[in-house]
Amino acid sequence: MEVIVAKQAGFCFGVERATRIAFEAAENSKDEVYTLGDLIHNPQVVESLEAYGVRSVPATDNIATGSSVIIRSHGLSPEVVGKLKAKGFKIIDATCPIVKKVQSDADRLNGEGYTVVIIGDREHPEVISIAGHAGENPYIVNSVEEAREVEPTDKMGVVMQTTLILDDCREITMALLERTKELRVFNTLCGTTYKRQQGARELAGMVDVMLVVGGRNSSNTNKLAKICKLVCENTYHIEVADEIRPEWFDKANRVGVTAGASTPDWIIDEVVSRIDEID
Amino acid sequence: MEVIVAKQAGFCFGVERATRIAFEAAENSKDEVYTLGDLIHNPQVVESLEAYGVRSVPATDNIATGSSVIIRSHGLSPEVVGKLKAKGFKIIDATCPIVKKVQSDADRLNGEGYTVVIIGDREHPEVISIAGHAGENPYIVNSVEEAREVEPTDKMGVVMQTTLILDDCREITMALLERTKELRVFNTLCGTTYKRQQGARELAGMVDVMLVVGGRNSSNTNKLAKICKLVCENTYHIEVADEIRPEWFDKANRVGVTAGASTPDWIIDEVVSRIDEID
């Protein structure tokens, strides 16, 4: 059985950077170290960070006085950062630089008088962090239907959740063009995400079984699994090697493996070893 | 035979204004009065202006020293206006205010470092006038295919020929979104044009014969005729009442009449009278 791992599988630049910052903080800081919300959407990496002393908490109330707080890769709104500072915590910023750029685009649009529209999932922490930079009441839309409900305005500015697909954003942006005299669109999609999706689609087309490895709470991993399933019927989304079942490979000659942006190499390696054992 | 004239038939605000300016100039000016290119795209109005002493010439060489020159409704590039001024002509500006706004949007985009893309027909005088305000080498595109050939750039600014249809501009704009990190779109379509087209479509659906009245060189009249022909088989594009043939109305109970933005009321009135005579 041949196992092919997608070139683009695993940690993206932003996740690699955030994880490095967190491990370094755990090593060097004399204070307690916290992350407000999980640093990245991978439970195994978050557990591993906990073992090193980096605690993930859902709210500021859970953080001990005098601690260091890491801003997660998805970023935080200026309001929340302000609260953390007001409470005297030391801030360590691990926001993905590409998300940081979207926040600054949103800030700029708002400052220049544009009504800001964010294309994305209103529940996703990245979108919540961007919304905090987009003025009083930014719109968050995730479909053409929602775009059609945006109140008409003279100047409208658009930014996008970094992990979306361009085709979807195009449709939504076009619907917005009817609602304004001036539409200013920042294409804030992350190139890595797109290449990862393309690579996964190609690989899924070449194999009998496709494994997509990554957190079940990871938006980009879920999207990868959907894309692969369309091309390869026998696609499985797993978090760790232990979930693999030998019967998946009964008639398989070729197996493909890809992984989300928040999946570390060691989990991918374990998955590949496990398949080799079955063979 | 019932004759219904579309509410939106005839002179738009910009054409009405340009024509008034030209007749006033002819009346008040002591100099010779010229227009560089036809004032509006209606041969009968241009002839009528000639009778009042307003001469339409294709180039500055044909203009006598010391004359007044009217800038046509479609506007002129700053380069041509500069030449006219350098030659000592008195300038009378009859540019449609809506076109003027597009010129200023293009100027602004160029000044702020955007690569300017004009959606429209590169041969149309309005587009030529806008291009003169759009920096060194603006792109002029009229289809999705042409949009895909625009060189990728960091900042792209888009304006539209005022008489286009939003759906077409949307498609082209969407293709441009792939070619840039920031896309700033001014929706410069003229609302009157859109309403006129909607009104024509509705009326054409209610009648047995549809007459579209206006210059054969008028872009917006040609578009109206196309729109009506899709809904009413018996659609005829005429410039004047003399072209009407009685046999068109052999089996007709209802006749619709609409007219382009550069068609004067007196031509529409003549057309209606002629149909009444046949009845």
Side-chain angles (χ1 to χ4, degrees), chain B residues 117-144:
Chain B
V117 179
I118 303 161
I119 303 179
D121 171 4
R122 71 187 70 240
E123 309 289 336
H124 195 282
E126 179 191 315
V127 173
I128 294 168
S129 89
I130 297 166
H133 288 261
E136 287 278 302
N137 282 307
Y139 287 93
I140 301 171
V141 301
N142 213 3
S143 67
V144 169

PDB file of all heavy atoms in Angstrom, chain B residues 117-144:
ATOM      1  N   VAL B 117      -9.229  50.728 -13.787  1.00  0.00           N
ATOM      2  CA  VAL B 117      -9.876  49.904 -14.806  1.00  0.00           C
ATOM      3  C   VAL B 117     -11.244  50.535 -15.100  1.00  0.00           C
ATOM      4  O   VAL B 117     -12.032  50.752 -14.178  1.00  0.00           O
ATOM      5  CB  VAL B 117     -10.067  48.449 -14.334  1.00  0.00           C
ATOM      6  CG1 VAL B 117     -10.763  47.619 -15.404  1.00  0.00           C
ATOM      7  CG2 VAL B 117      -8.735  47.820 -13.962  1.00  0.00           C
ATOM      8  N   ILE B 118     -11.485  50.845 -16.365  1.00  0.00           N
ATOM      9  CA  ILE B 118     -12.780  51.396 -16.772  1.00  0.00           C
ATOM     10  C   ILE B 118     -13.564  50.275 -17.441  1.00  0.00           C
ATOM     11  O   ILE B 118     -13.071  49.649 -18.390  1.00  0.00           O
ATOM     12  CB  ILE B 118     -12.602  52.562 -17.766  1.00  0.00           C
ATOM     13  CG1 ILE B 118     -11.714  53.644 -17.147  1.00  0.00           C
ATOM     14  CG2 ILE B 118     -13.953  53.129 -18.193  1.00  0.00           C
ATOM     15  CD1 ILE B 118     -11.121  54.600 -18.180  1.00  0.00           C
ATOM     16  N   ILE B 119     -14.764  50.005 -16.941  1.00  0.00           N
ATOM     17  CA  ILE B 119     -15.620  49.028 -17.614  1.00  0.00           C
ATOM     18  C   ILE B 119     -16.443  49.784 -18.644  1.00  0.00           C
ATOM     19  O   ILE B 119     -17.187  50.712 -18.280  1.00  0.00           O
ATOM     20  CB  ILE B 119     -16.540  48.289 -16.626  1.00  0.00           C
ATOM     21  CG1 ILE B 119     -15.704  47.603 -15.536  1.00  0.00           C
ATOM     22  CG2 ILE B 119     -17.405  47.270 -17.357  1.00  0.00           C
ATOM     23  CD1 ILE B 119     -16.530  46.855 -14.497  1.00  0.00           C
ATOM     24  N   GLY B 120     -16.297  49.426 -19.922  1.00  0.00           N
ATOM     25  CA  GLY B 120     -17.050  50.135 -20.953  1.00  0.00           C
ATOM     26  C   GLY B 120     -16.487  49.897 -22.335  1.00  0.00           C
ATOM     27  O   GLY B 120     -15.565  49.093 -22.524  1.00  0.00           O
ATOM     28  N   ASP B 121     -17.049  50.627 -23.291  1.00  0.00           N
ATOM     29  CA  ASP B 121     -16.693  50.488 -24.702  1.00  0.00           C
ATOM     30  C   ASP B 121     -15.586  51.501 -25.027  1.00  0.00           C
ATOM     31  O   ASP B 121     -15.807  52.716 -24.970  1.00  0.00           O
ATOM     32  CB  ASP B 121     -17.964  50.767 -25.528  1.00  0.00           C
ATOM     33  CG  ASP B 121     -17.697  50.876 -27.007  1.00  0.00           C
ATOM     34  OD1 ASP B 121     -16.538  50.672 -27.427  1.00  0.00           O
ATOM     35  OD2 ASP B 121     -18.652  51.181 -27.755  1.00  0.00           O
ATOM     36  N   ARG B 122     -14.407  50.983 -25.411  1.00  0.00           N
ATOM     37  CA  ARG B 122     -13.236  51.861 -25.588  1.00  0.00           C
ATOM     38  C   ARG B 122     -13.411  52.886 -26.701  1.00  0.00           C
ATOM     39  O   ARG B 122     -12.660  53.850 -26.796  1.00  0.00           O
ATOM     40  CB  ARG B 122     -11.960  51.046 -25.794  1.00  0.00           C
ATOM     41  CG  ARG B 122     -11.870  50.326 -27.135  1.00  0.00           C
ATOM     42  CD  ARG B 122     -10.665  49.399 -27.194  1.00  0.00           C
ATOM     43  NE  ARG B 122     -10.844  48.253 -26.330  1.00  0.00           N
ATOM     44  CZ  ARG B 122     -10.044  47.937 -25.321  1.00  0.00           C
ATOM     45  NH1 ARG B 122      -9.007  48.698 -25.041  1.00  0.00           N
ATOM     46  NH2 ARG B 122     -10.281  46.870 -24.593  1.00  0.00           N
ATOM     47  N   GLU B 123     -14.407  52.668 -27.574  1.00  0.00           N
ATOM     48  CA  GLU B 123     -14.633  53.596 -28.686  1.00  0.00           C
ATOM     49  C   GLU B 123     -15.606  54.707 -28.303  1.00  0.00           C
ATOM     50  O   GLU B 123     -15.776  55.678 -29.032  1.00  0.00           O
ATOM     51  CB  GLU B 123     -15.240  52.850 -29.894  1.00  0.00           C
ATOM     52  CG  GLU B 123     -14.504  51.597 -30.340  1.00  0.00           C
ATOM     53  CD  GLU B 123     -13.173  51.924 -30.993  1.00  0.00           C
ATOM     54  OE1 GLU B 123     -13.037  53.060 -31.492  1.00  0.00           O
ATOM     55  OE2 GLU B 123     -12.279  51.049 -30.994  1.00  0.00           O
ATOM     56  N   HIS B 124     -16.308  54.535 -27.182  1.00  0.00           N
ATOM     57  CA  HIS B 124     -17.366  55.491 -26.834  1.00  0.00           C
ATOM     58  C   HIS B 124     -16.756  56.778 -26.265  1.00  0.00           C
ATOM     59  O   HIS B 124     -15.863  56.718 -25.419  1.00  0.00           O
ATOM     60  CB  HIS B 124     -18.316  54.865 -25.808  1.00  0.00           C
ATOM     61  CG  HIS B 124     -19.610  55.609 -25.669  1.00  0.00           C
ATOM     62  ND1 HIS B 124     -19.709  56.775 -24.945  1.00  0.00           N
ATOM     63  CD2 HIS B 124     -20.843  55.380 -26.181  1.00  0.00           C
ATOM     64  CE1 HIS B 124     -20.964  57.215 -25.004  1.00  0.00           C
ATOM     65  NE2 HIS B 124     -21.670  56.386 -25.755  1.00  0.00           N
ATOM     66  N   PRO B 125     -17.243  57.945 -26.739  1.00  0.00           N
ATOM     67  CA  PRO B 125     -16.627  59.212 -26.296  1.00  0.00           C
ATOM     68  C   PRO B 125     -16.636  59.404 -24.778  1.00  0.00           C
ATOM     69  O   PRO B 125     -15.709  60.001 -24.238  1.00  0.00           O
ATOM     70  CB  PRO B 125     -17.478  60.287 -26.997  1.00  0.00           C
ATOM     71  CG  PRO B 125     -18.659  59.589 -27.570  1.00  0.00           C
ATOM     72  CD  PRO B 125     -18.270  58.170 -27.760  1.00  0.00           C
ATOM     73  N   GLU B 126     -17.670  58.897 -24.103  1.00  0.00           N
ATOM     74  CA  GLU B 126     -17.689  59.029 -22.639  1.00  0.00           C
ATOM     75  C   GLU B 126     -16.495  58.290 -22.029  1.00  0.00           C
ATOM     76  O   GLU B 126     -15.794  58.815 -21.143  1.00  0.00           O
ATOM     77  CB  GLU B 126     -18.994  58.455 -22.066  1.00  0.00           C
ATOM     78  CG  GLU B 126     -19.053  58.550 -20.552  1.00  0.00           C
ATOM     79  CD  GLU B 126     -20.199  57.747 -19.942  1.00  0.00           C
ATOM     80  OE1 GLU B 126     -21.326  57.822 -20.463  1.00  0.00           O
ATOM     81  OE2 GLU B 126     -19.957  57.046 -18.950  1.00  0.00           O
ATOM     82  N   VAL B 127     -16.258  57.062 -22.500  1.00  0.00           N
ATOM     83  CA  VAL B 127     -15.152  56.254 -21.968  1.00  0.00           C
ATOM     84  C   VAL B 127     -13.809  56.910 -22.298  1.00  0.00           C
ATOM     85  O   VAL B 127     -12.898  56.957 -21.455  1.00  0.00           O
ATOM     86  CB  VAL B 127     -15.226  54.809 -22.519  1.00  0.00           C
ATOM     87  CG1 VAL B 127     -13.995  54.012 -22.116  1.00  0.00           C
ATOM     88  CG2 VAL B 127     -16.492  54.129 -22.016  1.00  0.00           C
ATOM     89  N   ILE B 128     -13.705  57.462 -23.499  1.00  0.00           N
ATOM     90  CA  ILE B 128     -12.461  58.150 -23.884  1.00  0.00           C
ATOM     91  C   ILE B 128     -12.214  59.346 -22.954  1.00  0.00           C
ATOM     92  O   ILE B 128     -11.095  59.575 -22.494  1.00  0.00           O
ATOM     93  CB  ILE B 128     -12.525  58.587 -25.369  1.00  0.00           C
ATOM     94  CG1 ILE B 128     -12.562  57.327 -26.256  1.00  0.00           C
ATOM     95  CG2 ILE B 128     -11.353  59.484 -25.735  1.00  0.00           C
ATOM     96  CD1 ILE B 128     -12.906  57.590 -27.706  1.00  0.00           C
ATOM     97  N   SER B 129     -13.295  60.061 -22.616  1.00  0.00           N
ATOM     98  CA  SER B 129     -13.136  61.219 -21.728  1.00  0.00           C
ATOM     99  C   SER B 129     -12.732  60.774 -20.320  1.00  0.00           C
ATOM    100  O   SER B 129     -11.900  61.398 -19.667  1.00  0.00           O
ATOM    101  CB  SER B 129     -14.411  62.074 -21.700  1.00  0.00           C
ATOM    102  OG  SER B 129     -15.319  61.648 -20.694  1.00  0.00           O
ATOM    103  N   ILE B 130     -13.306  59.669 -19.844  1.00  0.00           N
ATOM    104  CA  ILE B 130     -12.961  59.165 -18.503  1.00  0.00           C
ATOM    105  C   ILE B 130     -11.508  58.678 -18.495  1.00  0.00           C
ATOM    106  O   ILE B 130     -10.757  58.948 -17.553  1.00  0.00           O
ATOM    107  CB  ILE B 130     -13.919  58.017 -18.089  1.00  0.00           C
ATOM    108  CG1 ILE B 130     -15.355  58.523 -17.985  1.00  0.00           C
ATOM    109  CG2 ILE B 130     -13.481  57.404 -16.761  1.00  0.00           C
ATOM    110  CD1 ILE B 130     -16.412  57.414 -17.923  1.00  0.00           C
ATOM    111  N   ALA B 131     -11.123  57.977 -19.566  1.00  0.00           N
ATOM    112  CA  ALA B 131      -9.756  57.436 -19.645  1.00  0.00           C
ATOM    113  C   ALA B 131      -8.723  58.550 -19.515  1.00  0.00           C
ATOM    114  O   ALA B 131      -7.653  58.358 -18.934  1.00  0.00           O
ATOM    115  CB  ALA B 131      -9.571  56.663 -20.947  1.00  0.00           C
ATOM    116  N   GLY B 132      -9.062  59.733 -20.017  1.00  0.00           N
ATOM    117  CA  GLY B 132      -8.156  60.875 -19.911  1.00  0.00           C
ATOM    118  C   GLY B 132      -7.930  61.317 -18.477  1.00  0.00           C
ATOM    119  O   GLY B 132      -6.992  62.057 -18.179  1.00  0.00           O
ATOM    120  N   HIS B 133      -8.812  60.863 -17.570  1.00  0.00           N
ATOM    121  CA  HIS B 133      -8.703  61.235 -16.148  1.00  0.00           C
ATOM    122  C   HIS B 133      -8.123  60.099 -15.311  1.00  0.00           C
ATOM    123  O   HIS B 133      -8.125  60.198 -14.084  1.00  0.00           O
ATOM    124  CB  HIS B 133     -10.090  61.597 -15.594  1.00  0.00           C
ATOM    125  CG  HIS B 133     -10.608  62.904 -16.093  1.00  0.00           C
ATOM    126  ND1 HIS B 133     -10.522  64.067 -15.358  1.00  0.00           N
ATOM    127  CD2 HIS B 133     -11.186  63.254 -17.265  1.00  0.00           C
ATOM    128  CE1 HIS B 133     -11.041  65.060 -16.048  1.00  0.00           C
ATOM    129  NE2 HIS B 133     -11.465  64.599 -17.206  1.00  0.00           N
ATOM    130  N   ALA B 134      -7.681  59.033 -15.963  1.00  0.00           N
ATOM    131  CA  ALA B 134      -7.379  57.814 -15.212  1.00  0.00           C
ATOM    132  C   ALA B 134      -5.899  57.445 -15.206  1.00  0.00           C
ATOM    133  O   ALA B 134      -5.535  56.287 -15.025  1.00  0.00           O
ATOM    134  CB  ALA B 134      -8.213  56.665 -15.772  1.00  0.00           C
ATOM    135  N   GLY B 135      -5.030  58.445 -15.408  1.00  0.00           N
ATOM    136  CA  GLY B 135      -3.596  58.165 -15.347  1.00  0.00           C
ATOM    137  C   GLY B 135      -3.023  57.731 -16.673  1.00  0.00           C
ATOM    138  O   GLY B 135      -3.688  57.822 -17.713  1.00  0.00           O
ATOM    139  N   GLU B 136      -1.793  57.234 -16.617  1.00  0.00           N
ATOM    140  CA  GLU B 136      -1.023  56.949 -17.832  1.00  0.00           C
ATOM    141  C   GLU B 136      -1.682  55.919 -18.738  1.00  0.00           C
ATOM    142  O   GLU B 136      -1.982  56.197 -19.884  1.00  0.00           O
ATOM    143  CB  GLU B 136       0.375  56.435 -17.443  1.00  0.00           C
ATOM    144  CG  GLU B 136       1.293  57.506 -16.890  1.00  0.00           C
ATOM    145  CD  GLU B 136       1.964  58.315 -17.986  1.00  0.00           C
ATOM    146  OE1 GLU B 136       2.648  57.700 -18.816  1.00  0.00           O
ATOM    147  OE2 GLU B 136       1.794  59.562 -18.020  1.00  0.00           O
ATOM    148  N   ASN B 137      -1.883  54.730 -18.214  1.00  0.00           N
ATOM    149  CA  ASN B 137      -2.376  53.639 -19.066  1.00  0.00           C
ATOM    150  C   ASN B 137      -3.518  52.890 -18.408  1.00  0.00           C
ATOM    151  O   ASN B 137      -3.344  51.747 -17.987  1.00  0.00           O
ATOM    152  CB  ASN B 137      -1.234  52.669 -19.388  1.00  0.00           C
ATOM    153  CG  ASN B 137      -0.318  53.203 -20.451  1.00  0.00           C
ATOM    154  OD1 ASN B 137      -0.753  53.593 -21.526  1.00  0.00           O
ATOM    155  ND2 ASN B 137       0.969  53.251 -20.127  1.00  0.00           N
ATOM    156  N   PRO B 138      -4.681  53.504 -18.310  1.00  0.00           N
ATOM    157  CA  PRO B 138      -5.779  52.780 -17.667  1.00  0.00           C
ATOM    158  C   PRO B 138      -6.208  51.603 -18.536  1.00  0.00           C
ATOM    159  O   PRO B 138      -6.027  51.619 -19.753  1.00  0.00           O
ATOM    160  CB  PRO B 138      -6.894  53.827 -17.609  1.00  0.00           C
ATOM    161  CG  PRO B 138      -6.607  54.739 -18.744  1.00  0.00           C
ATOM    162  CD  PRO B 138      -5.120  54.796 -18.886  1.00  0.00           C
ATOM    163  N   TYR B 139      -6.747  50.592 -17.889  1.00  0.00           N
ATOM    164  CA  TYR B 139      -7.324  49.481 -18.639  1.00  0.00           C
ATOM    165  C   TYR B 139      -8.761  49.844 -19.001  1.00  0.00           C
ATOM    166  O   TYR B 139      -9.468  50.468 -18.207  1.00  0.00           O
ATOM    167  CB  TYR B 139      -7.353  48.214 -17.788  1.00  0.00           C
ATOM    168  CG  TYR B 139      -5.994  47.581 -17.581  1.00  0.00           C
ATOM    169  CD1 TYR B 139      -5.222  47.900 -16.476  1.00  0.00           C
ATOM    170  CD2 TYR B 139      -5.501  46.660 -18.498  1.00  0.00           C
ATOM    171  CE1 TYR B 139      -3.978  47.311 -16.288  1.00  0.00           C
ATOM    172  CE2 TYR B 139      -4.258  46.062 -18.314  1.00  0.00           C
ATOM    173  CZ  TYR B 139      -3.505  46.399 -17.211  1.00  0.00           C
ATOM    174  OH  TYR B 139      -2.280  45.809 -17.025  1.00  0.00           O
ATOM    175  N   ILE B 140      -9.190  49.432 -20.189  1.00  0.00           N
ATOM    176  CA  ILE B 140     -10.599  49.554 -20.558  1.00  0.00           C
ATOM    177  C   ILE B 140     -11.061  48.141 -20.912  1.00  0.00           C
ATOM    178  O   ILE B 140     -10.520  47.522 -21.833  1.00  0.00           O
ATOM    179  CB  ILE B 140     -10.798  50.509 -21.748  1.00  0.00           C
ATOM    180  CG1 ILE B 140     -10.246  51.897 -21.395  1.00  0.00           C
ATOM    181  CG2 ILE B 140     -12.286  50.611 -22.119  1.00  0.00           C
ATOM    182  CD1 ILE B 140     -10.198  52.875 -22.556  1.00  0.00           C
ATOM    183  N   VAL B 141     -12.011  47.619 -20.160  1.00  0.00           N
ATOM    184  CA  VAL B 141     -12.452  46.242 -20.402  1.00  0.00           C
ATOM    185  C   VAL B 141     -13.964  46.210 -20.583  1.00  0.00           C
ATOM    186  O   VAL B 141     -14.696  47.000 -19.999  1.00  0.00           O
ATOM    187  CB  VAL B 141     -12.053  45.281 -19.250  1.00  0.00           C
ATOM    188  CG1 VAL B 141     -10.547  45.252 -19.059  1.00  0.00           C
ATOM    189  CG2 VAL B 141     -12.742  45.652 -17.949  1.00  0.00           C
ATOM    190  N   ASN B 142     -14.400  45.291 -21.417  1.00  0.00           N
ATOM    191  CA  ASN B 142     -15.827  45.233 -21.744  1.00  0.00           C
ATOM    192  C   ASN B 142     -16.379  43.811 -21.634  1.00  0.00           C
ATOM    193  O   ASN B 142     -17.496  43.546 -22.056  1.00  0.00           O
ATOM    194  CB  ASN B 142     -16.043  45.781 -23.170  1.00  0.00           C
ATOM    195  CG  ASN B 142     -17.372  46.489 -23.300  1.00  0.00           C
ATOM    196  OD1 ASN B 142     -18.105  46.629 -22.320  1.00  0.00           O
ATOM    197  ND2 ASN B 142     -17.702  46.937 -24.494  1.00  0.00           N
ATOM    198  N   SER B 143     -15.566  42.896 -21.068  1.00  0.00           N
ATOM    199  CA  SER B 143     -16.013  41.503 -20.937  1.00  0.00           C
ATOM    200  C   SER B 143     -15.182  40.834 -19.844  1.00  0.00           C
ATOM    201  O   SER B 143     -14.110  41.336 -19.466  1.00  0.00           O
ATOM    202  CB  SER B 143     -15.797  40.754 -22.255  1.00  0.00           C
ATOM    203  OG  SER B 143     -14.410  40.624 -22.509  1.00  0.00           O
ATOM    204  N   VAL B 144     -15.691  39.703 -19.360  1.00  0.00           N
ATOM    205  CA  VAL B 144     -14.971  38.922 -18.346  1.00  0.00           C
ATOM    206  C   VAL B 144     -13.618  38.485 -18.911  1.00  0.00           C
ATOM    207  O   VAL B 144     -12.599  38.511 -18.219  1.00  0.00           O
ATOM    208  CB  VAL B 144     -15.821  37.710 -17.913  1.00  0.00           C
ATOM    209  CG1 VAL B 144     -15.009  36.745 -17.072  1.00  0.00           C
ATOM    210  CG2 VAL B 144     -17.045  38.177 -17.136  1.00  0.00           C
TER     211      VAL B 144
END
